[in-house]
Amino acid sequence: VQLQASGGGLVQAGGSLRLSCVASVRTFSSSGMGWFRQAPGKERAVIASINGNGERTFLADSVKARFTISRDNTKNTVYLQMNSLKPEDTAVYFCAMLDPLKASWSYWGQGTQVTVSS
């Protein structure tokens, strides 16, 4: 399984970015996907997740009113739309795939840097 994340960059506060994560796996449509972020000096934490058919999503309280997670199973891609970005959103963002047998996030993308300037 390979996950390729992209879409990060430098944006001013209040701006928007859309992250994408493409998965090279046949079982994508049945796999839960998540977005995590890790800021300097902090632990990696989940901020959004979505189940295989896209009907159930989770968003952390810190991003709930501003971020949206979605997926396109025809493109093996999960997205994170980030609006109203704040400097505290600055972090490396990772996508991950859930291994249902292990009930753990077993596969990770390489990370994409998001920097929000004030």
Side-chain angles (χ1 to χ4, degrees), residues 1 3-5 8 19 29-30 35-36 44 56 60-63 69 78 89-90 93 95 101 112:
V1 176
L3 304 178
Q4 182 70 40
L19 306 184
S29 62
S30 60
W35 285 99
F36 293 68
R44 189 177 302 186
R56 295 197 304 273
D61 287 344
S62 59
V63 305
I69 186 170
V78 62
D89 294 319
T90 295
Y93 285 69
C95 59
L101 297 179
T112 184

PDB file of all heavy atoms in Angstrom, residues 1 3-5 8 19 29-30 35-36 44 56 60-63 69 78 89-90 93 95 101 112:
ATOM      1  N   VAL A   1       0.844  -1.188   0.000  1.00  0.00           N
ATOM      2  CA  VAL A   1       0.000   0.000   0.000  1.00  0.00           C
ATOM      3  C   VAL A   1       0.883   1.243   0.000  1.00  0.00           C
ATOM      4  O   VAL A   1       1.782   1.367   0.830  1.00  0.00           O
ATOM      5  CB  VAL A   1      -0.925   0.029   1.235  1.00  0.00           C
ATOM      6  CG1 VAL A   1      -1.730   1.324   1.257  1.00  0.00           C
ATOM      7  CG2 VAL A   1      -1.856  -1.177   1.243  1.00  0.00           C
ATOM      8  N   LEU A   3       0.582   5.524  -0.085  1.00  0.00           N
ATOM      9  CA  LEU A   3      -0.257   6.705   0.025  1.00  0.00           C
ATOM     10  C   LEU A   3       0.584   7.919  -0.346  1.00  0.00           C
ATOM     11  O   LEU A   3       1.673   8.106   0.199  1.00  0.00           O
ATOM     12  CB  LEU A   3      -0.802   6.858   1.448  1.00  0.00           C
ATOM     13  CG  LEU A   3      -1.591   5.682   2.012  1.00  0.00           C
ATOM     14  CD1 LEU A   3      -2.024   5.969   3.438  1.00  0.00           C
ATOM     15  CD2 LEU A   3      -2.792   5.362   1.150  1.00  0.00           C
ATOM     16  N   GLN A   4       0.071   8.723  -1.238  1.00  0.00           N
ATOM     17  CA  GLN A   4       0.794   9.912  -1.704  1.00  0.00           C
ATOM     18  C   GLN A   4      -0.031  11.139  -1.401  1.00  0.00           C
ATOM     19  O   GLN A   4      -1.061  11.371  -2.031  1.00  0.00           O
ATOM     20  CB  GLN A   4       1.069   9.810  -3.199  1.00  0.00           C
ATOM     21  CG  GLN A   4       1.850  10.975  -3.782  1.00  0.00           C
ATOM     22  CD  GLN A   4       3.290  10.988  -3.326  1.00  0.00           C
ATOM     23  OE1 GLN A   4       3.945   9.956  -3.231  1.00  0.00           O
ATOM     24  NE2 GLN A   4       3.796  12.170  -3.022  1.00  0.00           N
ATOM     25  N   ALA A   5       0.443  11.933  -0.445  1.00  0.00           N
ATOM     26  CA  ALA A   5      -0.263  13.149  -0.060  1.00  0.00           C
ATOM     27  C   ALA A   5       0.317  14.349  -0.797  1.00  0.00           C
ATOM     28  O   ALA A   5       1.519  14.405  -1.067  1.00  0.00           O
ATOM     29  CB  ALA A   5      -0.161  13.367   1.446  1.00  0.00           C
ATOM     30  N   GLY A   8      -0.166  20.671   0.207  1.00  0.00           N
ATOM     31  CA  GLY A   8       0.261  21.596   1.245  1.00  0.00           C
ATOM     32  C   GLY A   8       0.922  22.827   0.661  1.00  0.00           C
ATOM     33  O   GLY A   8       1.167  22.916  -0.547  1.00  0.00           O
ATOM     34  N   LEU A  19      -6.003  19.403   0.572  1.00  0.00           N
ATOM     35  CA  LEU A  19      -5.052  18.311   0.539  1.00  0.00           C
ATOM     36  C   LEU A  19      -5.674  17.112  -0.163  1.00  0.00           C
ATOM     37  O   LEU A  19      -6.869  16.865  -0.037  1.00  0.00           O
ATOM     38  CB  LEU A  19      -4.627  17.917   1.953  1.00  0.00           C
ATOM     39  CG  LEU A  19      -4.080  19.030   2.841  1.00  0.00           C
ATOM     40  CD1 LEU A  19      -3.617  18.439   4.182  1.00  0.00           C
ATOM     41  CD2 LEU A  19      -2.957  19.775   2.174  1.00  0.00           C
ATOM     42  N   SER A  29     -12.014   1.418  -1.637  1.00  0.00           N
ATOM     43  CA  SER A  29     -13.409   1.766  -1.358  1.00  0.00           C
ATOM     44  C   SER A  29     -13.947   1.103  -0.093  1.00  0.00           C
ATOM     45  O   SER A  29     -15.022   1.483   0.382  1.00  0.00           O
ATOM     46  CB  SER A  29     -14.294   1.401  -2.546  1.00  0.00           C
ATOM     47  OG  SER A  29     -14.250   0.014  -2.774  1.00  0.00           O
ATOM     48  N   SER A  30     -13.244   0.162   0.437  1.00  0.00           N
ATOM     49  CA  SER A  30     -13.676  -0.465   1.680  1.00  0.00           C
ATOM     50  C   SER A  30     -12.777  -0.104   2.853  1.00  0.00           C
ATOM     51  O   SER A  30     -12.899  -0.671   3.937  1.00  0.00           O
ATOM     52  CB  SER A  30     -13.700  -1.990   1.536  1.00  0.00           C
ATOM     53  OG  SER A  30     -12.414  -2.484   1.219  1.00  0.00           O
ATOM     54  N   TRP A  35      -6.944  11.767   8.222  1.00  0.00           N
ATOM     55  CA  TRP A  35      -5.924  12.811   8.149  1.00  0.00           C
ATOM     56  C   TRP A  35      -5.439  13.115   9.557  1.00  0.00           C
ATOM     57  O   TRP A  35      -6.250  13.276  10.484  1.00  0.00           O
ATOM     58  CB  TRP A  35      -6.482  14.082   7.521  1.00  0.00           C
ATOM     59  CG  TRP A  35      -6.659  14.004   6.038  1.00  0.00           C
ATOM     60  CD1 TRP A  35      -7.813  13.749   5.355  1.00  0.00           C
ATOM     61  CD2 TRP A  35      -5.643  14.178   5.044  1.00  0.00           C
ATOM     62  NE1 TRP A  35      -7.577  13.753   4.004  1.00  0.00           N
ATOM     63  CE2 TRP A  35      -6.247  14.021   3.779  1.00  0.00           C
ATOM     64  CE3 TRP A  35      -4.268  14.461   5.093  1.00  0.00           C
ATOM     65  CZ2 TRP A  35      -5.545  14.132   2.592  1.00  0.00           C
ATOM     66  CZ3 TRP A  35      -3.575  14.563   3.913  1.00  0.00           C
ATOM     67  CH2 TRP A  35      -4.205  14.406   2.664  1.00  0.00           C
ATOM     68  N   PHE A  36      -4.138  13.185   9.709  1.00  0.00           N
ATOM     69  CA  PHE A  36      -3.490  13.510  10.964  1.00  0.00           C
ATOM     70  C   PHE A  36      -2.624  14.744  10.729  1.00  0.00           C
ATOM     71  O   PHE A  36      -2.270  15.070   9.602  1.00  0.00           O
ATOM     72  CB  PHE A  36      -2.594  12.358  11.418  1.00  0.00           C
ATOM     73  CG  PHE A  36      -3.324  11.104  11.806  1.00  0.00           C
ATOM     74  CD1 PHE A  36      -4.004  10.339  10.872  1.00  0.00           C
ATOM     75  CD2 PHE A  36      -3.316  10.675  13.121  1.00  0.00           C
ATOM     76  CE1 PHE A  36      -4.674   9.184  11.233  1.00  0.00           C
ATOM     77  CE2 PHE A  36      -3.972   9.511  13.502  1.00  0.00           C
ATOM     78  CZ  PHE A  36      -4.655   8.773  12.548  1.00  0.00           C
ATOM     79  N   ARG A  44       1.555  13.593  16.972  1.00  0.00           N
ATOM     80  CA  ARG A  44       0.669  13.449  15.823  1.00  0.00           C
ATOM     81  C   ARG A  44      -0.736  13.130  16.326  1.00  0.00           C
ATOM     82  O   ARG A  44      -0.907  12.286  17.209  1.00  0.00           O
ATOM     83  CB  ARG A  44       1.163  12.346  14.907  1.00  0.00           C
ATOM     84  CG  ARG A  44       0.455  12.252  13.588  1.00  0.00           C
ATOM     85  CD  ARG A  44       1.065  11.161  12.714  1.00  0.00           C
ATOM     86  NE  ARG A  44       2.484  11.391  12.462  1.00  0.00           N
ATOM     87  CZ  ARG A  44       3.209  10.650  11.633  1.00  0.00           C
ATOM     88  NH1 ARG A  44       2.634   9.649  10.972  1.00  0.00           N
ATOM     89  NH2 ARG A  44       4.480  10.906  11.457  1.00  0.00           N
ATOM     90  N   ARG A  56     -19.836   8.122   6.728  1.00  0.00           N
ATOM     91  CA  ARG A  56     -19.545   8.502   8.120  1.00  0.00           C
ATOM     92  C   ARG A  56     -18.217   9.229   8.167  1.00  0.00           C
ATOM     93  O   ARG A  56     -17.215   8.770   7.633  1.00  0.00           O
ATOM     94  CB  ARG A  56     -19.492   7.272   9.026  1.00  0.00           C
ATOM     95  CG  ARG A  56     -20.812   6.549   9.168  1.00  0.00           C
ATOM     96  CD  ARG A  56     -20.787   5.629  10.365  1.00  0.00           C
ATOM     97  NE  ARG A  56     -19.693   4.675  10.314  1.00  0.00           N
ATOM     98  CZ  ARG A  56     -19.757   3.509   9.715  1.00  0.00           C
ATOM     99  NH1 ARG A  56     -20.867   3.140   9.100  1.00  0.00           N
ATOM    100  NH2 ARG A  56     -18.717   2.688   9.737  1.00  0.00           N
ATOM    101  N   ALA A  60     -12.212  16.526  14.258  1.00  0.00           N
ATOM    102  CA  ALA A  60     -11.835  16.985  15.594  1.00  0.00           C
ATOM    103  C   ALA A  60     -12.469  18.341  15.874  1.00  0.00           C
ATOM    104  O   ALA A  60     -12.714  19.133  14.953  1.00  0.00           O
ATOM    105  CB  ALA A  60     -10.322  17.077  15.701  1.00  0.00           C
ATOM    106  N   ASP A  61     -12.715  18.597  17.126  1.00  0.00           N
ATOM    107  CA  ASP A  61     -13.370  19.856  17.502  1.00  0.00           C
ATOM    108  C   ASP A  61     -12.605  21.074  17.000  1.00  0.00           C
ATOM    109  O   ASP A  61     -13.196  22.085  16.639  1.00  0.00           O
ATOM    110  CB  ASP A  61     -13.512  19.930  19.024  1.00  0.00           C
ATOM    111  CG  ASP A  61     -14.581  18.986  19.545  1.00  0.00           C
ATOM    112  OD1 ASP A  61     -15.414  18.511  18.745  1.00  0.00           O
ATOM    113  OD2 ASP A  61     -14.573  18.714  20.761  1.00  0.00           O
ATOM    114  N   SER A  62     -11.293  20.966  16.967  1.00  0.00           N
ATOM    115  CA  SER A  62     -10.463  22.106  16.577  1.00  0.00           C
ATOM    116  C   SER A  62     -10.637  22.499  15.120  1.00  0.00           C
ATOM    117  O   SER A  62     -10.295  23.615  14.728  1.00  0.00           O
ATOM    118  CB  SER A  62      -8.994  21.801  16.860  1.00  0.00           C
ATOM    119  OG  SER A  62      -8.585  20.645  16.158  1.00  0.00           O
ATOM    120  N   VAL A  63     -11.180  21.596  14.311  1.00  0.00           N
ATOM    121  CA  VAL A  63     -11.309  21.883  12.874  1.00  0.00           C
ATOM    122  C   VAL A  63     -12.730  21.726  12.363  1.00  0.00           C
ATOM    123  O   VAL A  63     -13.008  21.987  11.193  1.00  0.00           O
ATOM    124  CB  VAL A  63     -10.361  20.989  12.042  1.00  0.00           C
ATOM    125  CG1 VAL A  63      -8.927  21.137  12.529  1.00  0.00           C
ATOM    126  CG2 VAL A  63     -10.798  19.530  12.083  1.00  0.00           C
ATOM    127  N   ILE A  69     -13.737  16.548   5.212  1.00  0.00           N
ATOM    128  CA  ILE A  69     -13.088  15.384   4.635  1.00  0.00           C
ATOM    129  C   ILE A  69     -14.056  14.731   3.662  1.00  0.00           C
ATOM    130  O   ILE A  69     -15.261  14.648   3.931  1.00  0.00           O
ATOM    131  CB  ILE A  69     -12.625  14.381   5.721  1.00  0.00           C
ATOM    132  CG1 ILE A  69     -11.819  13.249   5.094  1.00  0.00           C
ATOM    133  CG2 ILE A  69     -13.802  13.868   6.550  1.00  0.00           C
ATOM    134  CD1 ILE A  69     -11.120  12.343   6.105  1.00  0.00           C
ATOM    135  N   VAL A  78      -8.623  10.581  -1.177  1.00  0.00           N
ATOM    136  CA  VAL A  78      -9.304  11.229  -0.061  1.00  0.00           C
ATOM    137  C   VAL A  78      -8.822  12.673   0.002  1.00  0.00           C
ATOM    138  O   VAL A  78      -7.652  12.958  -0.286  1.00  0.00           O
ATOM    139  CB  VAL A  78      -9.049  10.484   1.265  1.00  0.00           C
ATOM    140  CG1 VAL A  78      -7.582  10.467   1.626  1.00  0.00           C
ATOM    141  CG2 VAL A  78      -9.893  11.070   2.385  1.00  0.00           C
ATOM    142  N   ASP A  89      -2.958  26.061  12.721  1.00  0.00           N
ATOM    143  CA  ASP A  89      -3.109  24.907  11.836  1.00  0.00           C
ATOM    144  C   ASP A  89      -1.780  24.507  11.186  1.00  0.00           C
ATOM    145  O   ASP A  89      -1.715  23.485  10.497  1.00  0.00           O
ATOM    146  CB  ASP A  89      -4.131  25.203  10.736  1.00  0.00           C
ATOM    147  CG  ASP A  89      -5.536  25.397  11.268  1.00  0.00           C
ATOM    148  OD1 ASP A  89      -5.942  24.636  12.174  1.00  0.00           O
ATOM    149  OD2 ASP A  89      -6.229  26.318  10.782  1.00  0.00           O
ATOM    150  N   THR A  90      -0.763  25.303  11.392  1.00  0.00           N
ATOM    151  CA  THR A  90       0.553  24.996  10.827  1.00  0.00           C
ATOM    152  C   THR A  90       1.057  23.666  11.367  1.00  0.00           C
ATOM    153  O   THR A  90       1.140  23.461  12.581  1.00  0.00           O
ATOM    154  CB  THR A  90       1.550  26.113  11.157  1.00  0.00           C
ATOM    155  OG1 THR A  90       1.142  27.314  10.506  1.00  0.00           O
ATOM    156  CG2 THR A  90       2.950  25.741  10.700  1.00  0.00           C
ATOM    157  N   TYR A  93       0.926  17.483   7.644  1.00  0.00           N
ATOM    158  CA  TYR A  93      -0.323  16.728   7.543  1.00  0.00           C
ATOM    159  C   TYR A  93      -0.037  15.385   6.876  1.00  0.00           C
ATOM    160  O   TYR A  93       0.631  15.322   5.840  1.00  0.00           O
ATOM    161  CB  TYR A  93      -1.354  17.517   6.750  1.00  0.00           C
ATOM    162  CG  TYR A  93      -1.949  18.653   7.543  1.00  0.00           C
ATOM    163  CD1 TYR A  93      -1.186  19.768   7.878  1.00  0.00           C
ATOM    164  CD2 TYR A  93      -3.268  18.619   7.981  1.00  0.00           C
ATOM    165  CE1 TYR A  93      -1.715  20.809   8.626  1.00  0.00           C
ATOM    166  CE2 TYR A  93      -3.819  19.650   8.719  1.00  0.00           C
ATOM    167  CZ  TYR A  93      -3.030  20.741   9.040  1.00  0.00           C
ATOM    168  OH  TYR A  93      -3.564  21.780   9.785  1.00  0.00           O
ATOM    169  N   CYS A  95      -1.812  11.567   5.630  1.00  0.00           N
ATOM    170  CA  CYS A  95      -2.977  10.728   5.437  1.00  0.00           C
ATOM    171  C   CYS A  95      -2.626   9.310   5.872  1.00  0.00           C
ATOM    172  O   CYS A  95      -1.454   8.922   5.869  1.00  0.00           O
ATOM    173  CB  CYS A  95      -3.456  10.744   3.997  1.00  0.00           C
ATOM    174  SG  CYS A  95      -2.256  10.186   2.773  1.00  0.00           S
ATOM    175  N   LEU A 101      -8.411  -5.268  10.112  1.00  0.00           N
ATOM    176  CA  LEU A 101      -8.067  -6.484  10.859  1.00  0.00           C
ATOM    177  C   LEU A 101      -7.302  -6.142  12.126  1.00  0.00           C
ATOM    178  O   LEU A 101      -7.445  -6.797  13.152  1.00  0.00           O
ATOM    179  CB  LEU A 101      -7.265  -7.432   9.970  1.00  0.00           C
ATOM    180  CG  LEU A 101      -7.990  -7.962   8.736  1.00  0.00           C
ATOM    181  CD1 LEU A 101      -7.066  -8.881   7.942  1.00  0.00           C
ATOM    182  CD2 LEU A 101      -9.262  -8.700   9.138  1.00  0.00           C
ATOM    183  N   THR A 112       2.665  16.257   4.207  1.00  0.00           N
ATOM    184  CA  THR A 112       2.758  17.469   3.420  1.00  0.00           C
ATOM    185  C   THR A 112       2.680  18.664   4.369  1.00  0.00           C
ATOM    186  O   THR A 112       1.841  18.691   5.274  1.00  0.00           O
ATOM    187  CB  THR A 112       1.651  17.519   2.330  1.00  0.00           C
ATOM    188  OG1 THR A 112       1.825  18.677   1.513  1.00  0.00           O
ATOM    189  CG2 THR A 112       0.256  17.509   2.920  1.00  0.00           C
TER     190      THR A 112
END
